[in-house]
Amino acid sequence: QAQLVESGGGLVQPGDSLRLSCATSGFRFTDYAMGWFRQAPGREREFVAAVNWEGGSTYYSDSVKGRFTISRDNARNTVYLQMNRLKPDDSAMYYCAAEDRIGVPSRLGHDYAYWGQGTQVTVSS
């Protein structure tokens, strides 16, 4: 049974940094691309970042490129999202997800088979 558990969210001020973690189990981690999505109240779910199966190729939305970094540790079945220079518009529930793909990850949430419960990020002064 697949499980994805996010952690690391919290309340921070603009300009601060957070590092989110997503610990996974119950599926063959290296067969899956991993992605991060976010959703704020009243907004649609938004693609944030994705990384291919071995960690060498990363993809970002324009809104976070240059500030966020996605990475994965295949020895620990864990994916990370380092978030720097946070802005109030980054406030959202952040979800990690797994896609059964060996190649370029999808930016579409419906292509991802497994999802975590989310971790809240709030950026406010």
Side-chain angles (χ1 to χ4, degrees):
Q1 183 175 353
Q3 290 190 352
L4 294 76
V5 181
E6 301 96 334
S7 61
L11 174 63
V12 297
Q13 295 184 344
D16 285 353
S17 297
L18 284 173
R19 192 184 196 196
L20 308 183
S21 298
C22 176
T24 75
S25 62
F27 63 99
R28 191 179 296 273
F29 187 69
T30 52
D31 284 349
Y32 286 76
M34 297 297 299
W36 287 94
F37 295 78
R38 67 188 183 187
Q39 187 168 22
R43 293 189 175 189
E44 295 182 338
R45 183 177 59 194
E46 177 188 12
F47 170 80
V48 176
V51 59
N52 76 336
W53 72 275
E54 54 85 30
S57 298
T58 58
Y59 307 85
Y60 301 93
S61 68
D62 289 342
S63 63
V64 308
K65 192 172 183 65
R67 298 187 297 120
F68 291 10
T69 303
I70 188 171
S71 61
R72 65 191 295 161
D73 185 342
N74 286 346
R76 292 180 168 84
N77 296 336
T78 301
V79 62
Y80 305 94
L81 185 67
Q82 182 180 320
M83 310 165 67
N84 296 329
R85 301 189 300 280
L86 283 160
K87 304 175 180 180
D89 282 349
D90 295 319
S91 297
M93 186 73 74
Y94 282 72
Y95 300 91
C96 68
E99 181 193 17
D100 185 8
R101 180 184 298 270
I102 306 298
V104 177
S106 174
R107 287 173 160 82
L108 304 176
H110 63 74
D111 286 333
Y112 287 75
Y114 306 127
W115 292 80
Q117 85 291 345
T119 185
Q120 180 68 45
V121 173
T122 303
V123 185
S124 176
S125 59

